[in-house]
């Protein structure tokens, strides 16, 4: 089940305003559905946003690079105090170290900061915001996030096609987005290669999609999810 915890307070890198995000003690993907484009939907899996709009300065806030309030407080105690704590921790035996770690985790997960700073909830980006961001010259890892978000959003209407709601072809915007996303994915990691194969399949470039999946099946990488690879390959063959 999904368990809501105390808010996570982050600091905007542009204006230093504090943004409060919902914190989660636990969540999972039980009963969910995973799709070939990498999207997973599940009743107990919350939506996590990397980009929001700062409620203080209205800039696009990339939350993964912001410090939490706990990290800010830890930084402010200074290196000497932090080093002192580390030395005291090393003096403890194994069982006491485990107890300290468990106790610290529990306190952080179940209690609010002693003096939480004034904070506001973020504004979530609109679909138009994401479309503008995709062509705004972002760093590659940011652009990959935005274009993947758009890809999943456009595909959401195709998840469960019916006779009354058929799966329509890709629009010019979608094709452009997929081609740009493909060019950005330059990692040799098997999941990245699988994503590229799915992009080629959705662009109806089936021979290239099959070639990419065959490379994964022939390789010796033990981490490769062969079932997922075969699923995309079989769809490309059809």
């Amino acid at each position: 089940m999904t368990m809501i915890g105390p808010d996570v307070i982050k600091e905007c890198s542009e204006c230093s305003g504090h943004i409060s995000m919902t914190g989660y003690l636990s969540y999972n993907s039980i009963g969910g559905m995973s799709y070939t484009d990498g999207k997973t939907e599940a009743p107990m899996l919350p939506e996590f946003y990397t980009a929001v709009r700062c409620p203080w300065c209205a800039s696009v806030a990339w939350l993964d690079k912001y410090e939490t309030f706990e990290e800010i407080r830890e930084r402010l105690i200074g290196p000497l105090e932090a080093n002192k704590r580390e030395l005291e921790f090393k003096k403890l035996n194994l069982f006491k170290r485990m107890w300290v770690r468990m106790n610290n985790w529990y306190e952080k997960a179940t209690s609010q900061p002693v003096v939480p700073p004034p904070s506001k909830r973020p504004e979530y980006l609109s679909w138009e915001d994401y479309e503008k961001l995709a062509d705004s010259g972002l760093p590659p890892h940011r652009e990959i996030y935005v274009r993947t978000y758009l890809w999943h959003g456009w595909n959401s209407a195709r998840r469960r096609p019916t006779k009354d709601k058929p799966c329509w072809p890709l629009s010019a915007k979608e094709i452009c987005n997929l081609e740009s996303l493909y060019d950005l994915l330059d990692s040799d990691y098997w999941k990245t290669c699988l994503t590229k194969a799915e992009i080629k399949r959705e662009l109806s470039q089936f021979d290239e999609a099959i070639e990419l999946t065959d490379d994964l099946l022939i390789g010796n990488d033990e981490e490769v999810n062969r079932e997922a690879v075969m699923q995309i390959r079989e769809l490309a063959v059809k």
Side-chain angles (χ1 to χ4, degrees):
M1 60 180 294
T2 303
M3 293 180 62
I4 305 295
D7 285 348
V8 176
I9 300 173
K10 297 202 170 187
E11 184 179 270
C12 175
S13 60
E14 300 296 327
C15 71
S16 298
H18 291 106
I19 304 171
S20 57
M21 303 290 295
T22 301
Y24 296 93
L25 297 180
S26 70
Y27 53 86
N28 60 68
S29 58
I30 294 174
M33 176 72 74
S34 295
Y35 301 95
T36 52
D37 62 2
K39 176 70 173 178
T40 298
E41 296 175 346
M44 292 181 284
L45 185 66
E47 185 80 34
F48 294 102
Y49 296 93
T50 298
V52 297
R53 192 169 297 285
C54 175
W56 300 95
C57 66
S59 66
V60 174
W62 296 94
L63 296 177
D64 60 345
K65 73 173 183 178
Y66 290 178
E67 290 183 296
T68 65
F69 179 61
E70 289 79 7
E71 290 167 340
I72 296 167
R73 184 172 58 183
E74 190 71 19
R75 173 166 54 81
L76 293 177
I77 68 173
L80 291 177
E81 180 63 23
N83 186 53
K84 179 183 175 183
R85 292 183 186 181
E86 180 66 19
L87 289 173
E88 290 176 351
F89 179 75
K90 287 181 178 179
K91 292 178 184 178
L92 301 175
N93 62 39
L94 177 61
F95 294 103
K96 286 186 178 179
R97 287 187 189 186
M98 291 174 61
W99 183 87
V100 168
R101 284 183 176 140
M102 290 288 291
N103 191 49
N104 288 346
W105 175 86
Y106 181 79
E107 287 181 357
K108 286 182 179 180
T110 59
S111 63
Q112 292 282 9
V114 178
V115 185
S119 60
K120 292 181 180 179
R121 290 284 178 182
E123 299 173 15
Y124 294 103
L125 301 181
S126 66
W127 187 260
E128 290 73 21
D129 288 331
Y130 279 100
E131 288 188 326
K132 290 177 182 176
L133 277 174
D135 298 314
S136 64
L138 293 170
H141 68 291
R142 301 290 188 206
E143 189 175 341
I144 287 172
Y145 167 78
V146 171
R147 292 195 180 280
T148 301
Y149 182 92
L150 291 171
W151 180 25
H152 291 170
W154 273 313
N155 272 354
S156 63
R158 300 186 176 93
R159 301 291 183 203
R160 300 174 183 85
T162 62
K163 291 181 180 179
D164 299 327
K165 188 181 175 183
C167 184
W168 58 81
L170 298 176
S171 66
K173 273 187 179 181
E174 291 176 271
I175 292 172
C176 180
N177 183 66
L178 285 176
E179 290 174 342
S180 298
L181 178 57
Y182 183 90
D183 291 339
L184 288 165
L185 298 172
D186 59 356
S187 169
D188 291 331
Y189 182 48
W190 74 268
K191 285 187 178 180
T192 304
C193 294
L194 188 60
T195 300
K196 294 174 74 170
E198 173 61 10
I199 290 173
K200 287 296 185 181
R201 186 189 72 81
E202 292 196 20
L203 289 171
S204 298
Q205 297 172 14
F206 301 117
D207 289 342
E208 293 179 53
I210 292 169
E211 183 179 350
L212 285 165
T213 56
D214 285 347
D215 288 342
L216 288 171
L217 293 170
I218 294 170
N220 296 319
D221 190 344
E222 295 181 357
E223 294 184 2
V224 172
N225 185 334
R226 301 180 71 85
E227 183 179 348
V229 176
M230 284 301 301
Q231 183 182 12
I232 290 176
R233 190 186 192 286
E234 289 170 2
L235 289 170
V237 169
K238 292 179 182 180

